[in-house]
Amino acid sequence: MKQEYAVVTKKLAVVVLISGGGSNLQAIIDAMHHHDLPIEIRAVISNKGTAYGLERARRANIPAHTLNHTDFPDRISYSRALQELIDNFKPELVVLAGFMRILPEAFVDHYMGRMLNIHPSLLPEFSGLHTHQRALKANALEHGASVHFVTNELDGGPLIIQAHVPVHKEDTVETLAERVLEKEHKIYPLAIKWFAQKRLVMQGNHANLDGIPLDKPIKYPG
Ligand code: GAR
């Protein structure tokens, strides 16, 4: 009998977490609207009511929610409430797009293999904060951005894709951040697309793309 291949038509249910400007969120929304990203963003959640990304969500008719971490006595109680809010939307993928809170172990375990993050450095270089400033201070010749699955190791989960940019002598934190951000807007929608197409999964401590465990991240543009 002839083998029929399954065509994935159902859109992947996604919740996006933000803390700020939401330019990565915008890149994801734009990719959705150009029909090459088969996802449905069911909610955008921010830990800050002033995050401009909330406005971007509303403009795209996506439910926008604020869950302010300062309304909770500690990290654990905040993360429990956040998990409850997220799970109302039944996401198949949680996308951290500039969400600047450290997430406790139980929260990360709950979304293991279905939570992605974007980080503005070539991990494992410059995990943590102030990556552009630190790259400049270290006289790095190149810098970039990484998309990875989230695990309990801070910025240390399995790498999926990285984009490299040159560092110029005259760069400031702002010019370097802008060059990196432009690449972030390319690699995040791409990684999310692979996940939505079921081409990308987390297996053990590896990202697996098209059935092959990645021993190093895909280098954008290839
Ligand atoms: C991006 O540069 C993202 O990589 C970074 O925050 C910025 C958010 O920008 N994330 C982290 O530093 C996470 N550790 P955006 O709000 O315009 O998307």
Side-chain angles (χ1 to χ4, degrees), residues 19-61:
S19 297
S23 70
N24 276 289
L25 166 68
Q26 189 66 57
I28 296 163
I29 292 171
D30 291 347
M32 271 167 56
H33 290 161
H34 293 110
H35 302 298
D36 59 351
L37 187 56
I39 67 167
E40 172 200 355
I41 303 181
R42 293 203 174 158
V44 169
I45 301 171
S46 173
N47 65 310
K48 286 185 183 171
T50 52
Y52 181 63
L54 291 168
E55 180 58 30
R56 295 183 192 270
R58 285 184 207 108
R59 280 192 201 158
N61 291 319

Side-chain angles (χ1 to χ4, degrees), residues 20 35 47 53 65 78 142 158 172 183 219:
H35 302 298
N47 65 310
H65 296 264
Y78 178 66
E142 64 168 7
T172 60
K183 297 288 186 192
K219 187 172 175 179

Side-chain angles (χ1 to χ4, degrees), residues 73-106:
D74 53 38
R75 205 180 285 283
I76 299 286
S77 57
Y78 178 66
S79 73
R80 283 196 189 126
L82 183 60
Q83 184 176 316
E84 201 174 308
L85 178 59
I86 294 171
D87 286 351
N88 281 330
F89 300 101
K90 301 196 180 348
E92 297 161 277
L93 179 69
V94 174
V95 169
L96 306 183
F99 186 66
M100 303 306 278
R101 302 299 303 161
I102 292 179
L103 298 163
E105 203 170 312

Side-chain angles (χ1 to χ4, degrees), residues 71-176:
D71 291 342
F72 293 81
D74 53 38
R75 205 180 285 283
I76 299 286
S77 57
Y78 178 66
S79 73
R80 283 196 189 126
L82 183 60
Q83 184 176 316
E84 201 174 308
L85 178 59
I86 294 171
D87 286 351
N88 281 330
F89 300 101
K90 301 196 180 348
E92 297 161 277
L93 179 69
V94 174
V95 169
L96 306 183
F99 186 66
M100 303 306 278
R101 302 299 303 161
I102 292 179
L103 298 163
E105 203 170 312
F107 182 95
V108 173
D109 286 347
H110 181 70
Y111 298 108
M112 193 65 79
R114 52 190 185 110
M115 182 154 65
L116 300 179
N117 182 42
I118 189 154
H119 183 78
S121 80
L122 295 172
L123 290 169
E125 294 277 327
F126 310 122
S127 62
L129 297 174
H130 310 302
T131 58
H132 309 307
Q133 194 179 334
R134 287 157 63 209
L136 288 175
K137 197 165 173 216
N139 293 318
L141 296 176
E142 64 168 7
H143 188 43
S146 309
V147 178
H148 64 93
F149 282 103
V150 177
T151 63
N152 279 303
E153 203 182 322
L154 182 67
D155 298 327
L159 289 166
I160 300 159
I161 184 167
Q162 289 185 325
H164 298 235
V165 301
V167 181
H168 302 316
K169 271 205 291 292
E170 61 280 12
D171 265 332
T172 60
V173 168
E174 289 72 27
T175 58
L176 186 54

